[in-house]
Amino acid sequence: MVTRNLYRKRVVITGAGSVSPYGAGVKLLTDSLLDGKSSVQFNAELAENPDILSHVSSTVPEIDFNYIPRNFRRSMSKMSLYAAAAVREALDSAGLKEAPQGTALFLGSSISSMETWIDFADKYNKKELDSVKTTVVFQVINHSPLANIAQAYDIKGPGLGNCLACATGLANVGMAYLAIIGGFIDKALCGGTDEYHPIVTACFSIMNAASNKYNDKPAQSSRPFDADRCGIVCSEGCGMLFVESLESALKRNANIYAEIVGFGTNTETKSISHPSAECITECMNLALNNAALHPEDVGLINAHATSTLAGDVEESKAIASVFGNNKPVNSLKGHMGHTMAASGSLELIATIEMMNRNNFAATLNLENIDPECAGVKHMQKNEELNINTFMKNSFALGGTNCSLIVRRYNK
């Protein structure tokens, strides 16, 4: 990990864009979260399969993407379309008509488009490959969103997308931050994107990790830290940020939303599917050390907290071991489910907006705190908080952990 020193570049966030289960736009995302709105709905297709016990999901409403030129749109699956919309908003909010020369792109997904793969495989099995358009290939390559966005926005700088399951979005922001302070680049678009398919819920159902007790009450089905939680609600979306060195931002008189001051990442090796409090603790301490901060300097922790039985407990124990029981802790997955590769960057964007509004959303559906998660200060109602620094956590199947520290920009 890079250690903190007084001479490295400062990295600021000057733009953000989102496509979430609420629709397109950062303001819509943040307003919906603060209003306590759930985007989770009953999924009839899941209910038709007797082997899938979870019948809920959270998906992006219909959006008109026709403004994207057809020559770019035809090689995009839904996840790339989401990314295209989020990038456009991020550039607009950064005061940019196009990506400046030298902009790097850090973008990934958990897997490539499952919908496209299934359709592709069906045509293969029916020996109908002659009907498959060549553009389909660019929807199923592993770095499909990265390639599509680079083409659509003429981004010629380094393209270094990380695909790290649920940690993807935050990892890409962290990697962009490290690349800037290391002098490799000066500016970047970074984040994660994903699209929903019922097979995703099926995968978590096989692992007994999909929410299945609230099929008749979808809005209550995702409930991080709650004693009655029963698993993940699978979702989709995209969160993209424009980050740059402070010198770059000041030179173009950009509006600065926040500053990234620390990043930590490590790999869980005890289990490929379950996180451990020990490894999460180490990850958060790595971020604190990178930022040259102490636990008391952090005002709030936006938890990964997916509503799984084991994950929420281990993260609670880790947060308690590092920060004690007096730091506000919230999770946004009770509102919109788990947006997979997009979760880290989407939730980061929302938390930055909340910090700038001095108003933070509670963990939705947290009615009865699980005694095993009770060692921290859970937010069960919205709170007006004037904090200067927060930590965002993201942890992934496969063992990748990430923690990022963000603070208000101060000259």
Side-chain angles (χ1 to χ4, degrees):
M1 289 298 301
V2 177
T3 56
R4 184 75 172 171
N5 64 68
L6 298 177
Y7 305 103
R8 73 186 192 188
K9 290 184 177 182
R10 292 173 67 180
V11 182
V12 294
I13 298 166
T14 55
S18 80
V19 172
S20 74
Y22 301 109
V26 171
K27 185 179 185 300
L28 175 62
L29 167 67
T30 311
D31 288 348
S32 299
L33 294 169
L34 288 171
D35 287 344
K37 293 181 179 178
S38 171
S39 61
V40 182
Q41 297 181 337
F42 176 77
N43 187 314
E45 184 175 350
L46 291 173
E48 290 174 359
N49 191 322
D51 294 324
I52 302 177
L53 300 181
S54 179
H55 302 160
V56 291
S57 62
S58 181
T59 56
V60 172
E62 187 174 345
I63 297 173
D64 184 1
F65 294 108
N66 285 326
Y67 65 90
I68 302 170
R70 183 178 180 279
N71 60 315
F72 297 124
R73 198 173 66 245
R74 63 184 182 179
S75 64
M76 293 180 174
S77 68
K78 287 191 294 185
M79 67 174 69
S80 291
L81 291 171
Y82 299 160
V87 166
R88 182 66 269 162
E89 185 186 13
L91 291 173
D92 287 345
S93 66
L96 297 165
K97 293 183 179 179
E98 58 186 21
Q101 184 176 2
T103 298
L105 182 59
F106 292 80
L107 173 61
S109 58
S110 55
I111 54 177
S112 57
S113 174
M114 185 59 68
E115 181 179 355
T116 307
W117 266 121
I118 290 174
D119 184 60
F120 193 9
D122 182 61
K123 284 182 169 57
Y124 173 83
N125 291 330
K126 293 179 179 177
K127 296 181 173 55
E128 297 176 355
L129 285 179
D130 59 341
S131 67
V132 177
K133 297 180 180 180
T134 56
T135 51
V136 168
V137 175
F138 298 102
Q139 296 182 29
V140 297
I141 54 177
N142 194 47
H143 67 304
S144 176
L146 180 79
N148 276 294
I149 296 307
Q151 296 293 316
Y153 287 95
D154 195 28
I155 300 173
K156 297 185 176 73
L160 300 168
N162 292 282
C163 297
L164 298 168
C166 311
T168 298
L170 201 66
N172 280 320
V173 178
M175 290 297 106
Y177 157 76
L178 294 179
I180 293 173
I181 65 173
F184 179 61
I185 59 171
D186 199 43
K187 57 187 73 71
L189 282 157
C190 49
T193 188
D194 240 327
E195 64 185 63
Y196 177 77
H197 191 279
I199 282 182
V200 180
T201 299
C203 289
F204 283 97
S205 183
I206 289 169
M207 294 186 289
N208 295 316
S211 177
N212 58 20
K213 295 180 180 178
Y214 296 87
N215 291 330
D216 58 339
K217 299 177 181 178
Q220 300 179 30
S221 58
S222 183
R223 40 199 318 115
F225 302 120
D226 190 80
D228 295 320
R229 71 191 183 283
C230 54
I232 289 172
V233 173
C234 297
S235 183
E236 63 180 354
C238 179
M240 294 297 296
L241 298 95
F242 191 84
V243 301
E244 56 189 310
S245 68
L246 178 60
E247 293 87 346
S248 172
L250 293 177
K251 185 176 180 179
R252 64 185 192 85
N253 197 30
N255 184 32
I256 297 173
Y257 297 103
E259 179 178 2
I260 303 173
V261 295
F263 178 61
T265 183
N266 62 2
T267 304
E268 173 67 66
T269 57
K270 289 185 177 180
S271 170
I272 198 169
S273 58
H274 294 295
S276 71
E278 293 82 2
C279 200
I280 295 173
T281 297
E282 179 187 6
C283 183
M284 292 189 293
N285 280 325
L286 285 169
L288 287 168
N289 291 338
N290 182 242
L293 294 176
H294 300 290
E296 56 266 29
D297 298 320
V298 175
L300 175 140
I301 299 91
N302 179 241
H304 182 60
T306 62
S307 191
T308 59
L309 296 178
D312 289 7
V313 170
E314 295 302 304
E315 186 174 8
S316 296
K317 290 179 179 178
I319 292 172
S321 71
V322 176
F323 295 101
N325 62 1
N326 65 344
K327 299 289 183 183
V329 176
N330 71 343
S331 169
L332 302 178
K333 293 184 177 69
H335 295 74
M336 57 182 175
H338 191 343
T339 55
M340 303 300 161
S343 62
S345 50
L346 262 181
E347 294 165 12
L348 172 64
I349 290 168
T351 307
I352 291 169
E353 281 290 301
M354 291 176 190
M355 179 175 69
N356 290 333
R357 298 186 190 189
N358 297 320
N359 191 7
F360 291 84
T363 301
L364 192 64
N365 297 319
L366 180 51
E367 298 170 350
N368 301 297
I369 298 171
D370 183 344
E372 292 193 78
C373 300
V376 300
K377 186 179 179 181
H378 291 292
M379 289 180 58
Q380 293 182 274
K381 62 180 181 179
N382 290 8
E383 293 188 37
E384 293 186 4
L385 299 171
N386 185 9
I387 66 165
N388 293 316
T389 308
F390 70 85
M391 177 179 285
K392 169 68 194 138
N393 286 337
S394 284
F395 313 123
L397 283 175
T400 299
N401 297 329
C402 294
S403 295
L404 189 85
I405 301 176
V406 174
R407 72 180 176 198
R408 293 181 193 265
Y409 168 64
N410 187 325
K411 296 180 181 180

